Amino acid sequence: LKEQAGGKCMLCGEEPPKNQPILCVDHDRSCCPGDRSCGKCVRGLLCCGCNGGLGLFKDNPTKLQQAIEYLKRALVLNPLVLEGILNEV
């Protein structure tokens, strides 16, 4: 798994920050709630930010999609985007 990740987060593709140079083991919390995994439910290695983000969204794809749509709407409503100063994503 470590070789597969290549030292980068398997979600965002970035290397972990210098002040926290580790990758966290991401696991299915419906199998093993909390911080520890049985080992059978490991999904990948993530930077701690991405791993924590998934945990805060309770690994719920619907909630994550809702967050994406919210961010897209907020960006479109941004006055700098409306005035053409910033580009939309």
Side-chain angles (χ1 to χ4, degrees):
L1 194 58
K2 197 172 184 180
E3 287 177 18
Q4 196 176 15
K8 296 181 179 180
C9 173
M10 296 173 88
L11 193 142
C12 71
E14 295 182 14
E15 292 182 8
K18 301 245 186 281
N19 64 343
Q20 201 172 26
I22 60 166
L23 292 172
C24 298
V25 175
D26 176 43
H27 70 282
D28 184 347
R29 289 165 187 83
S30 67
C31 176
C32 296
D35 294 336
R36 302 272 182 215
S37 166
C38 64
K40 296 177 184 172
C41 58
V42 171
R43 295 186 290 209
L45 296 174
L46 305 180
C47 67
C48 294
C50 286
N51 191 49
L54 289 179
L56 290 172
F57 280 96
K58 300 187 181 351
D59 297 337
N60 183 324
T62 301
K63 294 289 182 193
L64 286 164
Q65 189 60 48
Q66 289 170 333
I68 291 167
E69 295 305 319
Y70 166 79
L71 290 172
K72 286 180 178 178
R73 283 192 310 274
L75 183 60
V76 169
L77 296 175
N78 182 323
L80 296 176
V81 172
L82 294 174
E83 293 173 23
I85 296 169
L86 292 176
N87 294 323
E88 287 187 56
V89 176

